């Protein structure tokens, strides 16, 4: 229940980001790496609507924190990085529905973690609003850099 899945080619990209590598492209040989990741959903104003069970371990924020505080994507990005982050998001969104960004996240305890981020905006027919699915992968857990994002 919860976050809707992607369809089509982006699934392959999201799988690569989360550590599942399939080579060659038509092969059934699938290798997976245990990476730390979380998936969450944003509304049109970047307010976090829903998080998975891994969100707290990665960010320090509980599901209860999300419900009470109205935490947004902006709160997860260091103030000094926000302008560059959102310019990058806007630039990539102008080219398509899927974005890939490498950036830092500010945890609840103030520590920073470096993440690979894959996001997808879509129209939610049930609520008639724009939402975004976000997957973040802790860069420190990517098998010493063997999992790389397509840019």
């Amino acid at each position: 229940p919860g976050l809707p899945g992607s369809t089509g080619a982006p699934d392959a990209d999201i799988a690569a980001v989360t550590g599942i590598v399939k080579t060659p492209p038509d092969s059934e040989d699938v290798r997976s790496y245990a990476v730390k990741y979380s998936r969450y959903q944003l509304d049109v104003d970047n307010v976090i609507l829903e998080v998975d069970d891994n969100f707290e371990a990665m960010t320090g924020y509980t599901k209860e924190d999300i419900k009470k505080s109205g935490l947004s994507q902006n709160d997860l990005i260091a103030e000094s990085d926000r302008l560059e982050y959102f310019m990058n998001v806007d630039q990539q969104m102008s080219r398509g529905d899927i974005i890939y960004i490498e950036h830092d996240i500010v945890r609840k305890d103030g520590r920073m973690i470096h993440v690979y981020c894959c996001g997808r905006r879509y129209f939610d027919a049930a609520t008639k609003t724009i939402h975004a699915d976000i997957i973040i992968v802790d860069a420190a857990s990517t098998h010493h850099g063997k999992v790389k994002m397509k840019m």
Side-chain angles (χ1 to χ4, degrees), residues 14-117:
I14 290 170
V17 170
T18 58
I20 299 169
V21 181
K22 191 173 193 176
T23 49
D26 297 328
S27 171
E28 291 301 315
D29 177 28
V30 176
R31 293 171 285 145
S32 61
Y33 303 105
V35 295
K36 294 179 186 175
Y37 73 95
S38 179
R39 186 172 183 174
Y40 56 101
Q41 188 180 69
L42 305 174
D43 71 8
V44 69
D45 296 317
N46 288 329
V47 173
I48 299 172
L49 298 173
E50 189 173 342
V51 299
D52 68 7
D53 292 337
N54 299 329
F55 193 80
E56 182 178 357
M58 286 194 65
T59 68
Y61 291 100
T62 66
K63 289 181 180 185
E64 195 61 33
D65 291 334
I66 303 302
K67 289 178 187 174
K68 286 182 182 177
S69 70
L71 189 73
S72 77
Q73 182 75 359
N74 303 9
D75 299 319
L76 297 178
I77 307 298
E79 190 172 341
S80 60
D81 296 339
R82 283 185 197 147
L83 179 60
E84 182 179 354
Y85 171 84
F86 285 109
M87 285 176 57
N88 194 347
V89 168
D90 288 346
Q91 181 184 39
Q92 289 192 39
M93 289 302 298
S94 71
R95 290 183 268 156
D97 296 332
I98 305 280
I99 61 166
Y100 305 97
I101 301 176
E102 186 175 338
H103 64 88
D104 293 328
I105 283 187
V106 180
R107 290 177 38 88
K108 184 178 179 179
D109 61 12
R111 289 185 302 131
M112 303 284 271
I113 61 168
H114 194 72
V115 298
Y116 301 124
C117 176

